[in-house]
Amino acid sequence: MAMRTISGRGGMTTAPHHLAAQAGCDVLRDGGNAVEACVAIAATLAVAYPHMTGIGGDGFWLIAEPDGRVHGVHGCGGAAVKADLSLYAGMAAVPTRGPLAANTVAGTISGWAAALAGSGGMLPLDRLLRDACRHARAGVTVTKGGAGIAAAKGEELRVQPGAYAAIFEPEGRPLVEGEILKQPLLADTLERLAQDGLGSFYTGALAADIAADLDALGSPVSAADLAAHEASRPTPLHVPISGATLYNSAPPTQGFASLLILALFDRLGAETADGFDHVHGLVEATKRAFLLRDAHVGDPAFHDYDYQGLLDDYQALDSLAAQIDPARALPWPQPPQWGDTCWFAAADSEGRVVSCIQSTYFEFGSGVVLPRTGITWQNRGSSFRLAPDGWNALRPGRKPFHTLNPALARFDDGRVMAYGTMGGEGQPQTQAALFTRYARFGVDLQQAISAPRWLLGRTWGEESTTLKLEDGFDEQLYVDLAEAGHDVEQVGPLTATMGHAGAIVRHPDGRLDGATDPRSDGAVATW
């Protein structure tokens, strides 16, 4: 059955797992606001989608307030003090799994705390974490996607030090679709957070347990690293386009690239959704944006590039757009970025709209699961370069480059849109596809997400760097793109390779529209 756009008025959530969407909606129904709903969603995703996200990762928030303000929160941790080049002597790269991949502080919980501190919410923390605690203790049904990833990655994960095998392979094998995954240790940890406060993740008894496990398992992250961490509130990047102002996260995220793609495409001609001019134009804008991203985007403490300055420079944007050949593809590839992620959103009856994303980077992060707490620690720091200097070079305290980037748009007509996806390198591309379909070409919100998508480069374990397209486009499009010089690869029907997208639109009269991705296990919940 074809999915349809869901409408409501009281409040709305969307998430890539239905239990998370429902947990957030129930918070709204109980009088919570959109920020509180997103904390409930985030916690439930950590339980129900552990292959994609968890409290041992990082998270980023964009919050559109009823008064028109847009502000952000970065729950993003830096490299441990001990994580210097000497730790990786003799290695060509930071490992992608294991304790040496678990080399950055997990910032997700600090992001929750910072977002809640400025939200005006009134619900107690134990209410926000209630459903996540219950699902962790009682168990959740393993999804097809989760079972597939656990089976595919089990060989490299079960050998990692820690509790991965005990929790995720309790029968001595990966759980299969329909079986029940219980995480009592994680339930205990969430309950401790509810009782002692979110700050206890970084200082106090819970932090001591986390640090002790990390040390015993061989991670360089210490109690001092945890205690020194705090979330930040950088001003979101923004750019005006025809009919709207777009917002995204500042570096170290790739939000700059996501905005630049849409700003460049706004200057190109295209009359039909999913026609050659649309797809080719966005792919070529992606290439230009990625070239700048890979040269300049990283921890802003180590860069002096003026990201907002470029987005404000109409002549510079015009010049970049003019470099795009409307008929021919720029030779590719460039180095790809990996990552698996969960994007989610909420809107409340007061007019607040939140776009949020969090991740442990690879599936199940580093594979290091802490035995005392059940926390899966991220491997975001595996993206660091083992180099003395330059882009994303490993330094103690440095924040790694992040593919994560939540998106928001304020339309000139008063609509507010939260949208996003998981998918590493594909995040800016999927954002561009669904936003332009909806905003420029008037495609129904759900159809804008359900329709076939494309991906330039690799993600989700793909080795090829082709222009991948799902089935379902006009057959002539595949031919035209190939003739224009694109290395076209058809990947079959709808696939999670293209990400798990979602969107919520709040209209000026208070009506809410929401959509989720048929490629996920997600849902839109409203009341």
Side-chain angles (χ1 to χ4, degrees):
M1 180 182 296
M3 300 175 70
R4 62 182 181 85
T5 299
I6 303 297
S7 295
R9 297 193 70 88
M12 180 173 285
T13 60
T14 183
H17 194 284
H18 63 93
L19 291 178
Q22 191 60 55
C25 188
D26 288 347
V27 163
L28 293 174
R29 184 180 287 109
D30 287 352
N33 63 31
V35 171
E36 294 173 307
C38 279
V39 169
I41 293 170
T44 305
L45 284 172
V47 173
Y49 247 34
H51 52 296
M52 290 293 178
T53 188
I55 64 173
D58 285 343
F60 298 86
W61 296 65
L62 281 184
I63 304 166
E65 299 287 0
D67 63 6
R69 290 181 300 123
V70 176
H71 58 103
V73 171
H74 284 195
C76 172
V81 169
K82 296 178 182 177
D84 58 19
L85 293 179
S86 65
L87 186 66
Y88 301 93
M91 299 182 184
V94 178
T96 57
R97 302 289 194 188
L100 293 184
N103 61 6
T104 62
V105 173
T108 285
I109 297 297
S110 71
W112 296 2
L116 287 170
S119 74
M122 302 298 291
L123 293 183
L125 186 58
D126 61 356
R127 171 62 191 88
L128 304 185
L129 303 185
R130 183 191 69 189
D131 289 355
C133 293
R134 175 168 56 86
H135 292 311
R137 195 167 302 286
V140 295
T141 303
V142 176
T143 64
K144 180 179 180 180
I149 288 175
K153 303 297 180 180
E155 185 174 351
E156 64 191 71
L157 292 168
R158 68 177 67 100
V159 298
Q160 302 305 329
Y164 177 85
I167 294 173
F168 296 108
E169 297 185 352
E171 302 297 325
R173 56 163 176 79
L175 294 173
V176 301
E177 181 183 4
E179 289 189 313
I180 303 300
L181 169 64
K182 295 183 178 181
Q183 300 175 77
L185 290 172
L186 185 58
D188 291 344
T189 298
L190 291 168
E191 289 170 357
R192 291 174 74 180
L193 287 168
Q195 177 178 334
D196 298 336
L198 297 176
S200 65
F201 191 94
Y202 303 99
T203 59
L206 176 57
D209 284 346
I210 292 171
D213 272 348
L214 288 168
D215 179 63
L217 297 174
S219 165
V221 177
S222 69
D225 293 318
L226 293 172
H229 171 78
E230 59 182 358
S232 61
R233 292 181 174 274
T235 302
L237 299 177
H238 60 276
V239 66
I241 63 167
S242 301
T245 299
L246 309 178
Y247 297 86
N248 213 304
S249 288
T253 81
Q254 64 175 336
F256 169 71
S258 295
L259 293 178
L260 189 55
I261 292 168
L262 289 169
L264 296 181
F265 182 73
D266 191 51
R267 290 160 164 80
L268 304 179
E271 296 182 358
T272 305
D274 299 330
F276 175 83
D277 290 341
H278 181 203
V279 177
H280 171 80
L282 281 176
V283 170
E284 294 306 296
T286 296
K287 293 175 181 177
R288 299 291 174 178
F290 281 5
L291 288 171
L292 283 171
R293 177 200 69 182
D294 293 345
H296 298 293
V297 175
D299 187 338
F302 292 79
H303 289 269
D304 58 4
Y305 189 79
D306 187 358
Y307 309 100
Q308 187 59 56
L310 176 60
L311 296 172
D312 289 339
D313 190 335
Y314 283 69
Q315 289 186 336
L317 295 175
D318 290 345
S319 177
L320 282 170
Q323 296 173 26
I324 294 174
D325 190 325
R328 297 297 302 172
L330 182 73
W332 207 249
Q334 297 292 321
Q337 302 295 333
W338 295 73
D340 295 319
T341 310
C342 283
W343 176 89
F344 46 96
D348 59 36
S349 59
E350 297 175 351
R352 189 176 292 102
V353 180
V354 178
S355 180
C356 193
I357 193 165
Q358 62 183 37
S359 171
T360 51
Y361 199 30
F362 281 25
E363 310 96 332
F364 294 102
S366 64
V368 174
V369 181
L370 308 188
R372 304 185 198 199
T373 60
I375 298 171
T376 301
W377 210 262
Q378 66 183 353
N379 66 331
R380 180 62 60 175
S382 67
S383 69
F384 280 125
R385 294 169 53 249
L386 295 181
D389 51 39
W391 181 82
N392 209 38
L394 177 64
R395 289 287 184 282
R398 186 173 190 169
K399 296 177 180 178
F401 168 81
H402 264 278
T403 52
L404 305 184
N405 66 113
L408 274 170
R410 282 196 178 276
F411 291 87
D412 295 349
D413 63 10
R415 287 174 293 166
V416 180
M417 180 179 183
Y419 61 103
T421 182
M422 67 84 163
E425 193 87 336
Q427 286 183 46
Q429 302 180 61
T430 293
Q431 286 183 16
L434 73 89
F435 181 83
T436 54
R437 282 169 173 163
Y438 173 79
R440 181 158 174 173
F441 300 113
V443 175
D444 171 76
L445 188 63
Q446 181 61 60
Q447 179 59 23
I449 292 172
S450 297
R453 295 205 290 264
W454 63 88
L455 170 67
L456 175 69
R458 66 182 186 180
T459 190
W460 271 71
E462 296 286 344
E463 292 297 329
S464 64
T465 53
T466 55
L467 175 59
K468 300 170 180 65
L469 294 100
E470 293 176 322
D471 294 346
F473 289 101
D474 186 283
E475 289 299 320
Q476 189 61 40
L477 176 66
Y478 304 104
V479 176
D480 291 344
L481 289 170
E483 289 181 348
H486 295 282
D487 185 8
V488 172
E489 177 186 356
Q490 289 187 241
V491 295
L494 302 188
T495 168
T497 296
M498 300 296 167
H500 294 168
I504 292 177
V505 176
R506 186 182 192 278
H507 295 267
D509 63 359
R511 178 169 55 89
L512 299 168
D513 289 335
T516 192
D517 203 322
R519 301 164 183 82
S520 75
D521 303 293
V524 175
T526 189
W527 67 285

